[in-house]
Amino acid sequence: MLTIIVIALFVILMLWAAYSDLTSYTLSNKLCLSVALLYPIYLLSRYLDGQMLPWSTVLLALAIAALIFIIFAVLFALNIMGGGDVKLIPAVALWAGPAYSLQFLFLMALIGGGIAAVILLNNRLKASKYYKSSENINLSVAEKNESAVPYGVGIAGGGIYVAYHLATTLNQFTAISQG
């Protein structure tokens, strides 16, 4: 039961990330740190609920998160990704662990890529001669920086997917141990 509450807090943080990135293109350090620091609490809650993860799984999750951080830090250095995204992605990957990291990254890329495609299409429409005839229609997704992509929405979508599977796994474990 305690573990479900911790997973719910993780989902709330993911929703906050999506909202924050949509409204201000910001994923704060506090948000990223909260997601990362909630993970040990998740591990403790699983232990207290009698469903402790093997240490090998935890260590592999840490290794995966570190590798993802290095890869995305390079993308940040190349000015391809924002700093908040670079910090939040490995924090969520920590939660995803070896079981869900690939699915998380795929879903994150799919959602983020979809949003980027909409922004590109919007920018093309605004640049076309046909857009001038409909100036009263505001299709703009990004008011301040028209090339910015609120990638936190994709990260949050992937994180919620991970949370769903973590909660489902808990329910299966509980059903097996009680049956």
Side-chain angles (χ1 to χ4, degrees):
M1 177 64 176
L2 179 61
T3 305
I4 293 295
I5 294 169
V6 176
I7 292 172
L9 290 173
F10 174 68
V11 169
I12 290 168
L13 290 173
M14 292 296 94
L15 293 172
W16 179 254
Y19 175 78
S20 175
D21 214 18
L22 272 173
T23 58
S24 68
Y25 297 103
T26 303
L27 296 171
S28 71
N29 289 336
K30 289 179 185 177
L31 172 69
C32 299
L33 194 58
S34 295
V35 171
L37 291 178
L38 191 59
Y39 183 70
I41 297 169
Y42 165 72
L43 295 176
L44 179 62
S45 70
R46 284 195 60 141
Y47 173 76
L48 293 174
D49 285 346
Q51 302 176 22
M52 187 171 170
L53 287 175
W55 283 109
S56 60
T57 302
V58 175
L59 293 175
L60 194 52
L62 287 167
I64 290 167
L67 177 64
I68 288 172
F69 177 75
I70 291 167
I71 292 167
F72 283 100
V74 169
L75 294 175
F76 173 75
L78 296 172
N79 205 23
I80 295 172
M81 293 205 72
D85 301 328
V86 169
K87 291 176 272 189
L88 187 58
I89 293 168
V92 176
L94 187 62
W95 283 78
Y100 304 111
S101 286
L102 289 177
Q103 295 97 323
F104 159 64
L105 291 171
F106 177 76
L107 189 57
M108 175 193 74
L110 193 65
I111 295 169
I115 292 170
V118 167
I119 290 171
L120 281 171
L121 179 63
N122 179 47
N123 290 343
R124 295 277 175 146
L125 285 172
K126 287 174 85 174
S128 77
K129 63 181 178 179
Y130 300 108
Y131 184 78
K132 300 289 187 219
S133 66
S134 302
E135 287 184 22
N136 293 333
I137 299 173
N138 184 6
L139 296 174
S140 180
V141 175
E143 291 294 329
K144 295 179 184 172
N145 182 354
E146 293 186 9
S147 64
V149 176
Y151 219 79
V153 176
I155 299 167
I160 291 169
Y161 170 87
V162 168
Y164 169 78
H165 283 284
L166 292 176
T168 302
T169 303
L170 286 175
N171 291 337
Q172 290 172 355
F173 181 83
T174 303
I176 291 169
S177 65
Q178 290 177 354

